[in-house]
Amino acid sequence: PVTAGSIVVPLGHVIGNEKWRGSELAQRLQGKVRLIFEDGLGLVDFHLPNRTCILLISEADLVAGDGFKRRSVKFRNASSLRGIVIVEKTPISDQYYLGVQKLVVLELGMVLLPVANQGEASQLIIQLVSFCVREQSRERGSNPFVGRQRARPAEPAVLQALQRIPGVGRTKALLLLQRFGSIHRLCNADTRELEQAVGQTAAQQIYTF
Amino acid sequence: ISRVPGEHSPSLCILADTRQICSGPEVLSCLRAGHGLRVQVCSLGSSDYIVSNRLAVDRVLQSELQSPGNRNKLSQRLQRLQGISERICVIVETDRVRPGETSRCFQRTQHYDGVLSALVQAGIRILFSSCQEETAALLKELALLEHRKDAAIQVPTEPEGHGRDILNFYLSIPNLSYGAALNLCHSFGSITAVAN
């Protein structure tokens, strides 16, 4: 069973499943992050800060059959934590990769990251952990991929939109904006009002548009 | 529009950016010929593909994630995309080995892992593909998935004449995706109806 949905991992720490003690992966992690081993983590191989769990699928798991699939599905059903599946994608296990990706990413909606060996896996985990640290220490929004909502002035956009109306260039767009102020009011204007702002022909064009 | 009659649901439609004609010709032809999808090439600007009403897909080469030089460009692009689209997926495609070139060994850099971490934290879905054919297959899977969730693009994707002008008008509204603009065209009789 999955255990401990409530494990809280301090920043910069990783809690590893006892079965990884002494492995190449663990050795490479030590010194870079604070690694603590714990028994009975169940399905999860590593707990990272930020409510993230790592399931590791080795080359051998992939080749051996469907065990890892059951494991991912069980994890998904049992836990509300974010699951990252790290899979060893080697020349031997390559052929299974697409199937795994379809299951894990498309069907289960989890994250899947391929690595070539345990060494790369450790590098990746270190980056995942240190990313959390960086994000916490700086003010929020240091993630280059999280969009910051900037309030942009609407007027230039309105002006551009108006110029998409056939027969309206920059000058007429400015005139229209001055007189009506908003697209909403422009839409509800009748031909006479439009004629007062721009010429007769253009007014007719705008009205039909 | 190439519409290949087949057992696939004919309404499955993907919008592709015009730049993909150069950078991913095999993706496009696989989608059309191999999977029988309706592929509409239009100038999306913001993303490489639009798979459903809410999902935009960007195709990046693995080498682009390797070097820090591309970081700004990529992050600006994805940030803008996040303002526009509800869901974002990045397909990381292995670079093609050109004939005569020995297969370069992929050296995993710290920067690459860092970018992946950032993408994961930002909630952007990542898929890995080893070639253009696989990318096409992934796009199709995504389209199917979104279709099952009732988010598929189901409006005509090629308005003509007056409809074209109106579409252009909607496209100039900031943070409105191409798909959303199409939907506006389709569900409202006129711009006045939208404004009110």
Side-chain angles (χ1 to χ4, degrees):
Chain A
V2 195
T3 52
S6 58
I7 288 191
V8 176
V9 184
L11 273 181
H13 287 63
V14 171
I15 296 181
N17 196 316
E18 187 61 40
K19 71 179 180 198
W20 287 97
R21 191 186 283 279
S23 64
E24 184 200 348
L25 178 57
Q27 277 166 12
R28 282 172 183 257
L29 282 178
Q30 252 140 10
K32 300 283 180 27
V33 295
R34 273 172 230 139
L35 183 60
I36 300 160
F37 287 106
E38 239 174 64
D39 234 350
L41 289 186
L43 299 170
V44 178
D45 290 308
F46 295 96
H47 279 277
L48 306 190
N50 227 357
R51 300 172 51 77
T52 305
C53 298
I54 290 192
L55 306 185
L56 232 124
I57 301 178
S58 70
E59 181 186 34
D61 291 338
L62 265 189
V63 178
D66 289 345
F68 69 89
K69 288 187 185 166
R70 279 196 293 279
R71 203 169 128 215
S72 321
V73 174
K74 259 196 209 156
F75 173 80
R76 189 76 189 88
N77 291 339
S79 174
S80 62
L81 298 177
R82 186 214 298 269
I84 298 180
V85 179
I86 296 182
V87 59
E88 265 189 292
K89 187 176 183 242
T90 62
I92 296 168
S93 65
D94 197 30
Q95 52 179 318
Y96 304 100
Y97 184 76
L98 280 182
V100 178
Q101 179 162 262
K102 194 175 165 193
L103 174 81
V104 171
V105 183
L106 298 180
E107 282 165 33
L108 299 179
M110 291 160 70
V111 178
L112 179 70
L113 301 172
V115 295
N117 48 48
Q118 286 196 16
E120 286 196 3
S122 70
Q123 277 183 30
L124 180 58
I125 292 176
I126 291 166
Q127 281 300 316
L128 284 167
V129 172
S130 68
F131 188 83
C132 287
V133 175
R134 282 202 302 271
E135 194 158 62
Q136 289 287 322
S137 60
R138 279 187 234 159
E139 55 206 273
R140 282 182 62 200
S142 64
N143 187 329
F145 299 118
V146 175
R148 269 147 284 189
Q149 287 296 320
R150 281 157 298 181
R152 262 181 297 167
E155 289 207 342
V158 174
L159 209 59
Q160 274 201 342
L162 289 177
Q163 290 178 47
R164 301 288 177 95
I165 302 173
V168 177
R170 193 171 165 75
T171 326
K172 280 185 188 146
L174 274 168
L175 281 173
L176 288 171
L177 189 62
Q178 265 168 18
R179 181 166 275 263
F180 297 102
S182 74
I183 302 235
H184 180 88
R185 281 191 48 205
L186 176 66
C187 282
N188 295 311
D190 59 29
T191 348
R192 249 217 334 257
E193 284 178 278
L194 289 170
E195 269 174 37
Q196 284 168 2
V198 291
Q200 206 176 2
T201 340
Q204 198 55 51
Q205 270 181 323
I206 296 166
Y207 190 76
T208 37
F209 185 71
Chain B
I1 303 173
S2 78
R3 190 193 287 257
V4 182
E7 66 272 44
H8 287 303
S9 93
S11 65
L12 220 50
C13 172
I14 288 183
L15 305 179
D17 188 58
T18 37
R19 277 168 307 179
Q20 290 297 312
I21 299 175
C22 295
S23 65
E26 280 159 45
V27 179
L28 295 182
S29 59
C30 275
L31 281 173
R32 283 184 174 142
H35 303 296
L37 264 68
R38 196 153 58 91
V39 181
Q40 171 77 49
V41 178
C42 35
S43 138
L44 298 177
S46 53
S47 66
D48 293 335
Y49 295 93
I50 292 183
V51 167
S52 76
N53 288 329
R54 55 180 190 179
L55 178 66
V57 179
D58 246 5
R59 182 174 153 249
V60 290
L61 294 177
Q62 202 170 34
S63 60
E64 291 178 70
L65 293 188
Q66 276 287 69
S67 63
N70 290 312
R71 189 190 180 107
N72 267 339
K73 220 172 69 189
L74 186 70
S75 74
Q76 273 169 14
R77 198 172 148 77
L78 292 179
Q79 268 185 27
R80 201 162 36 127
L81 198 50
Q82 269 170 331
I84 296 174
S85 194
E86 197 182 323
R87 294 177 183 212
I88 304 175
C89 176
V90 170
I91 297 184
V92 180
E93 191 178 287
T94 313
D95 296 67
R96 201 195 329 218
V97 182
R98 289 181 186 81
E101 194 178 31
T102 45
S103 164
R104 271 169 306 173
C105 217
F106 171 67
Q107 277 290 326
R108 199 181 183 98
T109 57
Q110 223 182 48
H111 177 260
Y112 178 82
D113 285 332
V115 171
L116 288 185
S117 312
L119 288 172
V120 169
Q121 290 295 339
I124 295 173
R125 204 187 281 199
I126 316 168
L127 292 170
F128 292 86
S129 150
S130 61
C131 58
Q132 295 199 14
E133 286 79 8
E134 264 182 42
T135 303
L138 288 173
L139 283 168
K140 184 198 135 202
E141 290 294 341
L142 285 170
L144 269 174
L145 196 72
E146 290 290 295
H147 182 71
R148 280 205 298 274
K149 293 181 180 167
D150 280 332
I153 302 168
Q154 273 166 335
V155 296
T157 49
E158 205 172 32
E160 278 161 16
H162 187 54
R164 189 79 233 165
D165 292 337
I166 293 197
L167 177 62
N168 277 329
F169 179 83
Y170 290 138
L171 286 176
S172 67
I173 301 172
N175 286 2
L176 194 67
S177 72
Y178 201 94
L182 279 174
N183 281 328
L184 280 181
C185 279
H186 191 70
S187 9
F188 289 95
S190 69
I191 294 175
T192 310
V194 177
N196 291 320

